[in-house]
Amino acid sequence: MAIKPILFNTEMVRAILDGRKTCTRRLIKPQPDKKHIYPLGFVTDSTEKKEVGCFGFAANEYGGSIQYVKPPYRYAPGDILYVRETWKKAPNGYYYYEDWQRNDIADVTKWKPSIHMPKEAARIWLKVTNVRVERLQDITPKGAESEGVGNLFYDDIGYGEKNYGTEVDTEYGIAKEQFAWLWESTIKKSDLDRYGWDANPWVWVIEFERCEKPEA
């Protein structure tokens, strides 16, 4: 077991606190360029060994090289994650931006970005239960709901204006459509052709559950 950080924006912090989010998808960089995919790596059809910032290379039955990629911070089942969120110091502790947004409290003082949040300020702790690789569009309606999209509505995602090629599910409604919109809202416009919903990129799927702060 290792203790590692993970970043979430304000909306996703709220989804975790509400119990709606138990999974997150993160882009694999660099993207696999061939069809053979493994839990912690992928296979190219070329014997050329290219540096991809990964664990290493190995021969394989397909005649190419396995280029191992690593999940963010090398997350693995059993790891404990502390959530980094937008924050600032308080007289006797810390304030969290999500709380102020939830309660519609006006505040003009400067907040600190989540990436600079120290571990001692963390209030949300998660235990990783599974890590795998899949294509973005392989997400199921149930999987989309576990991404915390349940608070989005037709107007939020422009349902009548853009169709992401998903279907209305009898049990989960338009959860998959909501997730597609949510995903694209996090991608730069210049990168949509590579990493947007239609590009169907490979992603890390990191599943987790809430847990208590470790005593150590």
Side-chain angles (χ1 to χ4, degrees):
M1 181 199 77
I3 299 177
K4 305 169 183 177
I6 187 169
L7 275 67
F8 286 104
N9 63 27
T10 300
E11 290 74 20
M12 293 300 98
V13 167
R14 182 173 301 172
I16 292 173
L17 292 174
D18 289 345
R20 294 182 287 107
K21 186 173 181 66
T22 58
C23 186
T24 184
R25 281 163 173 76
R26 306 290 168 108
L27 274 171
I28 290 179
K29 293 185 178 180
Q31 282 282 292
D33 55 1
K34 299 297 177 181
K35 64 181 179 180
H36 305 301
I37 191 77
Y38 291 90
L40 290 177
F42 56 89
V43 177
T44 69
D45 289 334
S46 169
T47 56
E48 178 185 1
K49 295 182 178 181
K50 298 182 294 183
E51 177 59 46
V52 290
C54 310
F55 293 144
F57 306 93
N60 65 86
E61 66 270 32
Y62 298 102
S65 61
I66 301 176
Q67 301 177 344
Y68 289 96
V69 294
K70 61 181 180 180
Y73 293 96
R74 300 188 184 184
Y75 297 143
D79 285 349
I80 303 297
L81 311 180
Y82 61 94
V83 173
R84 282 177 164 170
E85 55 181 303
T86 304
W87 64 289
K88 67 180 179 180
K89 287 282 291 183
N92 297 308
Y94 301 92
Y95 291 133
Y96 304 98
Y97 187 67
E98 188 278 332
D99 292 340
W100 293 64
Q101 286 283 291
R102 181 191 292 264
N103 295 297
D104 195 24
I105 300 174
D107 181 46
V108 296
T109 58
K110 188 175 181 179
W111 290 88
K112 295 183 181 295
S114 57
I115 196 169
H116 297 312
M117 183 185 195
K119 181 162 59 175
E120 59 266 24
R123 60 169 173 166
I124 303 174
W125 295 80
L126 310 171
K127 182 178 181 179
V128 178
T129 58
N130 187 37
V131 179
R132 66 181 185 276
V133 169
E134 67 181 32
R135 297 298 287 267
L136 181 64
Q137 291 183 19
D138 287 342
I139 189 172
T140 64
K142 181 179 180 180
E145 187 178 69
S146 70
E147 284 275 359
V149 300
N151 63 334
L152 297 175
F153 297 94
Y154 285 88
D155 291 343
D156 295 324
I157 65 174
Y159 189 76
E161 300 176 6
K162 181 168 183 178
N163 188 304
Y164 292 93
T166 62
E167 299 178 356
V168 176
D169 184 85
T170 55
E171 184 174 359
Y172 298 100
I174 60 168
K176 195 169 178 178
E177 186 95 6
Q178 292 173 314
F179 174 75
W181 176 90
L182 182 65
W183 176 267
E184 293 216 326
S185 71
T186 67
I187 304 297
K188 294 180 181 179
K189 289 185 178 180
S190 59
D191 288 338
L192 284 175
D193 60 332
R194 293 187 297 165
Y195 303 134
W197 176 260
D198 290 338
N200 196 23
W202 291 99
V203 294
W204 290 107
V205 183
I206 303 166
E207 298 177 345
F208 53 81
E209 60 187 14
R210 291 285 299 275
C211 68
E212 297 295 325
K213 179 180 179 179
E215 294 183 2

